Amino acid sequence: MNIEIPPGLTELLQEYTVEVLRNRPSDLLGFTADYFARLRDARDQEGGGTRKVVSFDGEPMQTESNGEEEPDHGDEDDDYDFEPALINRYNRRVSVCAEVFNPDEEEEDTEQKIVHPKTDEQRCRLQEACKDILLFKNLDQEQLSQVLDAMFERKVTPQEHVIDQGDDGDNFYVIERGSYDIIVAKDAQSRCVGCYDNHGSFGELALMYNTPRAATIIAATEGALWGLDRVTFRRIILKNNAKKRKTYESFIESVPLLKSLEASERMKIVDVIGEKVYQDGERILSQGDKADCFYIVETGEVKILIKSKTVTSTEVNQEVEIGRCQRGQYFGELALITNKPRAASAYAVGEVKCLVMDVQAFERLLGPCMDIMKRNITHYEEQLIAMFGSSMDLTDPGI
């Protein structure tokens, strides 16, 4: 028996599958009914056979009418009437949203690999700039080599705009040197919400989720960046992240701190975390150091010790254990919240595996959890007062 696949069916089911994987609905049947009802409504309002952007639960997706209406009915007014129902920031993004990419597919890469030739000196500088980038931590050697091959150098001058809020994502950037201001416009006002200083990376979210740039990055000084094009980023980084999601998804869902987040927000955390392994007695962070990361214990146990300035002089160098963290618990958040040096040191008890998030991702993704973490500061103060009679080590942690 010959079975002919109707035109548009493959694309329709492919886009539906992507939305299911992205939203992971608990009620699949209800989600499916709502999904196709929206597609039908969009088709009816559109009145034509062209591809449109439709908003589904805040995410853009592509639809294609399979109706047999004639392609040109002169219904430009209908198109105009339809578009205001969309979120404005997606209207300009038809070309980007039209990309069909499923990171879970295991098929061989057929696209030609991008290579930007580099001198030995450039390669060394690039490797040094990329050594602490969490997105690269889980790449195997071949994948990392392809990423480094595809990266290109970009020199910037003071006040140069590297990316602009609302634009399509074209490149991911790793900072080699220079300072960069993070500017966010809201309610017709722009403000600086942070800065990068000679290290870090930015631009990954627009490439991961096909969303417009969430902020403007402006060079505050002369500097140098290494860029990675969106095609290579999605081909290598997104596929790697899909595997990482399968590994960490259930664990992240079990972390009490993150239970208040939406499933999509937890998945964004999975996308930016890295994994680090520490051996018995190894110091994970040091009291008095500048804070750069947030930690969640995946396996093992971590002990938290403090050298108090309020103890007697004979014990001034003695570290006192104030607590332990086990699977699903977190540490390192205090210094990030207060913008002060580390108030304690952390050591591995046996072999420990931690999930690590850098300060930029912490500030960007864990906003909804901030109230919970701030409440814990009061608990820390009570602990220190009970042990040392003062919470000075928390309010003034410098050594």
Side-chain angles (χ1 to χ4, degrees), residues 327-364:
R327 177 178 170 85
Q329 296 182 309
Y330 59 91
F331 61 95
E333 84 288 359
L334 179 61
L336 298 180
I337 294 172
T338 62
N339 290 316
K340 293 179 179 179
R342 296 291 191 192
S345 299
Y347 296 87
V349 179
E351 184 177 272
V352 172
K353 187 183 296 182
C354 290
L355 301 184
V356 185
M357 181 186 301
D358 66 27
V359 60
Q360 289 84 17
F362 176 87
E363 293 171 345
R364 190 172 63 227

XYZ file of all heavy atoms in Angstrom, residues 327-364:
294
model
N 24.293 16.444 49.708
C 23.648 16.412 48.390
C 22.405 17.311 48.346
O 21.532 17.249 49.214
C 23.254 14.978 48.045
C 22.493 14.842 46.716
C 22.185 13.383 46.413
N 21.276 13.245 45.292
C 21.649 13.234 44.015
N 22.929 13.355 43.713
N 20.770 13.098 43.043
N 22.364 18.178 47.331
C 21.226 19.065 47.144
C 21.328 20.380 47.878
O 20.537 21.292 47.632
N 22.304 20.495 48.793
C 22.490 21.753 49.516
C 23.503 22.635 48.792
O 24.273 22.153 47.954
C 22.939 21.477 50.951
C 21.883 20.732 51.773
C 22.315 20.493 53.200
O 23.403 19.984 53.458
N 21.463 20.855 54.151
N 23.510 23.905 49.120
C 24.339 24.865 48.381
C 25.172 25.699 49.337
O 24.891 25.803 50.530
C 23.452 25.773 47.527
C 22.439 26.563 48.314
C 22.737 27.827 48.800
C 21.168 26.046 48.579
C 21.817 28.564 49.532
C 20.233 26.768 49.307
C 20.561 28.029 49.776
O 19.650 28.739 50.498
N 26.216 26.306 48.794
C 27.064 27.217 49.563
C 27.731 28.186 48.605
O 27.712 27.990 47.388
C 28.103 26.445 50.381
C 29.063 25.612 49.564
C 30.302 26.112 49.194
C 28.722 24.326 49.155
C 31.196 25.354 48.440
C 29.603 23.558 48.406
C 30.839 24.069 48.049
N 28.309 29.240 49.170
C 28.986 30.240 48.343
C 28.094 31.384 47.921
O 28.542 32.304 47.223
N 26.811 31.323 48.329
C 25.872 32.366 47.887
C 26.018 33.657 48.675
O 25.714 34.749 48.184
C 24.435 31.845 47.981
C 23.757 31.955 49.336
C 24.292 30.990 50.382
O 25.192 30.181 50.083
O 23.821 31.051 51.530
N 26.493 33.570 49.929
C 26.500 34.727 50.823
C 27.312 35.885 50.252
O 26.848 37.028 50.201
C 27.043 34.318 52.195
C 27.143 35.419 53.241
C 25.760 35.987 53.526
C 27.779 34.884 54.514
N 28.527 35.589 49.811
C 29.395 36.649 49.281
C 28.830 37.243 47.997
O 29.036 38.435 47.714
C 30.798 36.088 49.035
N 28.097 36.436 47.221
C 27.514 36.943 45.979
C 26.350 37.876 46.275
O 26.126 38.852 45.554
C 27.039 35.777 45.112
C 28.129 34.788 44.657
C 27.518 33.690 43.814
C 29.224 35.504 43.879
N 25.586 37.566 47.334
C 24.445 38.403 47.690
C 24.903 39.717 48.314
O 24.372 40.786 48.016
C 23.516 37.649 48.667
C 22.887 36.434 47.970
C 22.417 38.563 49.194
C 22.108 35.529 48.901
N 25.910 39.637 49.203
C 26.356 40.821 49.941
C 27.445 41.616 49.231
O 27.784 42.719 49.657
C 26.881 40.406 51.329
O 28.017 39.523 51.160
C 25.799 39.685 52.118
N 27.994 41.041 48.151
C 29.112 41.682 47.439
C 30.304 41.939 48.361
O 30.968 42.988 48.291
C 28.665 42.997 46.783
C 27.736 42.780 45.619
O 27.968 41.898 44.789
N 26.664 43.548 45.559
N 30.559 40.988 49.253
C 31.692 41.067 50.165
C 32.571 39.838 49.979
O 32.161 38.870 49.336
C 31.193 41.157 51.614
C 30.455 42.460 51.917
C 29.958 42.497 53.355
C 29.254 43.802 53.660
N 28.735 43.839 55.056
N 33.792 39.850 50.527
C 34.656 38.671 50.404
C 34.026 37.451 51.070
O 33.085 37.557 51.866
C 35.939 39.098 51.131
C 35.919 40.587 51.114
C 34.478 40.979 51.194
N 34.565 36.279 50.740
C 34.075 35.037 51.328
C 34.162 35.111 52.854
O 35.203 35.471 53.412
C 34.912 33.855 50.847
C 34.837 33.577 49.343
C 33.483 33.052 48.943
N 33.490 32.544 47.557
C 32.389 32.245 46.881
N 31.204 32.405 47.448
N 32.469 31.783 45.647
N 33.073 34.747 53.534
C 33.031 34.811 54.990
C 33.517 33.522 55.633
O 33.685 33.463 56.852
C 31.604 35.109 55.460
N 33.745 32.474 54.847
C 34.183 31.186 55.383
C 34.920 30.417 54.297
O 34.923 30.810 53.128
C 32.987 30.383 55.897
N 35.551 29.338 54.707
C 36.214 28.434 53.766
C 35.402 27.148 53.661
O 34.650 26.793 54.572
C 37.634 28.111 54.235
O 38.428 29.283 54.306
N 35.556 26.441 52.552
C 34.845 25.182 52.341
C 35.837 24.114 51.914
O 36.705 24.367 51.060
C 33.755 25.351 51.284
N 35.709 22.919 52.505
C 36.620 21.819 52.217
C 35.826 20.555 51.871
O 34.746 20.308 52.435
C 37.509 21.519 53.430
C 38.439 22.647 53.813
C 38.020 23.656 54.669
C 39.743 22.697 53.325
C 38.861 24.691 55.036
C 40.601 23.733 53.685
C 40.156 24.725 54.533
O 41.010 25.744 54.884
N 36.396 19.752 50.989
C 35.771 18.479 50.621
C 35.993 17.453 51.716
O 37.087 17.347 52.275
C 36.349 17.976 49.302
N 34.935 16.698 52.025
C 35.033 15.568 52.952
C 34.873 14.302 52.102
O 33.784 13.977 51.652
C 33.941 15.623 54.034
C 34.054 14.416 54.967
C 34.030 16.929 54.815
N 35.976 13.609 51.844
C 35.952 12.541 50.858
C 35.881 13.155 49.472
O 36.071 14.369 49.286
N 35.600 12.351 48.465
C 35.466 12.897 47.107
C 34.128 13.612 46.992
O 33.091 13.085 47.389
C 35.554 11.794 46.051
C 35.520 12.342 44.629
C 35.682 11.265 43.575
O 36.827 10.938 43.211
O 34.642 10.741 43.121
N 34.161 14.806 46.446
C 32.965 15.641 46.333
C 32.801 16.097 44.891
O 33.775 16.485 44.236
C 33.067 16.874 47.262
C 31.910 17.838 47.009
C 33.090 16.451 48.717
N 31.567 16.061 44.427
C 31.249 16.571 43.101
C 30.260 17.719 43.269
O 29.209 17.558 43.895
C 30.648 15.478 42.225
C 30.436 15.879 40.767
C 29.761 14.771 39.974
C 30.637 13.536 39.886
N 29.990 12.480 39.057
N 30.618 18.882 42.750
C 29.769 20.068 42.863
C 29.364 20.574 41.485
O 30.143 20.487 40.520
C 30.501 21.199 43.589
S 30.764 20.921 45.345
N 28.154 21.093 41.415
C 27.727 21.847 40.244
C 28.019 23.312 40.529
O 27.698 23.821 41.612
C 26.239 21.634 39.971
C 25.830 20.179 39.736
C 24.353 20.099 39.382
C 26.674 19.532 38.645
N 28.634 23.991 39.570
C 29.152 25.335 39.794
C 28.515 26.307 38.805
O 28.403 26.016 37.617
C 30.691 25.362 39.635
C 31.229 26.737 39.981
C 31.336 24.301 40.517
N 28.103 27.457 39.323
C 27.516 28.505 38.489
C 28.296 29.793 38.718
O 28.540 30.178 39.863
C 26.046 28.706 38.879
C 25.323 29.765 38.065
S 23.649 30.086 38.697
C 22.925 28.470 38.545
N 28.701 30.462 37.642
C 29.481 31.683 37.821
C 28.586 32.839 38.262
O 27.359 32.762 38.229
C 30.292 32.035 36.571
C 29.422 32.399 35.370
O 28.293 32.879 35.567
O 29.870 32.193 34.228
N 29.217 33.926 38.698
C 28.487 35.020 39.324
C 27.499 35.668 38.358
O 26.391 36.067 38.756
C 29.469 36.071 39.896
C 30.350 36.668 38.803
C 28.714 37.176 40.626
N 27.850 35.759 37.070
C 26.943 36.393 36.118
C 25.663 35.571 35.958
O 24.549 36.105 35.966
C 27.620 36.579 34.754
C 28.700 37.636 34.731
C 30.039 37.110 35.204
O 30.249 35.889 35.252
N 30.958 38.000 35.556
N 25.808 34.250 35.830
C 24.632 33.391 35.704
C 23.820 33.392 36.995
O 22.583 33.359 36.964
C 25.060 31.969 35.350
N 24.501 33.429 38.136
C 23.829 33.476 39.438
C 22.903 34.689 39.514
O 21.736 34.580 39.891
C 24.885 33.525 40.547
C 24.325 33.681 41.942
C 23.944 32.565 42.667
C 24.205 34.938 42.517
C 23.431 32.707 43.958
C 23.706 35.081 43.801
C 23.317 33.957 44.523
N 23.430 35.842 39.155
C 22.644 37.070 39.244
C 21.506 37.074 38.230
O 20.426 37.608 38.498
C 23.545 38.285 39.025
C 24.565 38.481 40.151
C 25.588 39.549 39.833
O 25.695 39.943 38.649
O 26.297 39.995 40.757
N 21.744 36.464 37.080
C 20.764 36.501 35.993
C 19.625 35.507 36.194
O 18.472 35.797 35.873
C 21.500 36.202 34.682
C 20.688 36.426 33.424
C 21.587 36.282 32.214
N 22.141 34.950 32.087
C 23.419 34.679 31.841
N 24.281 35.657 31.720
N 23.831 33.433 31.712
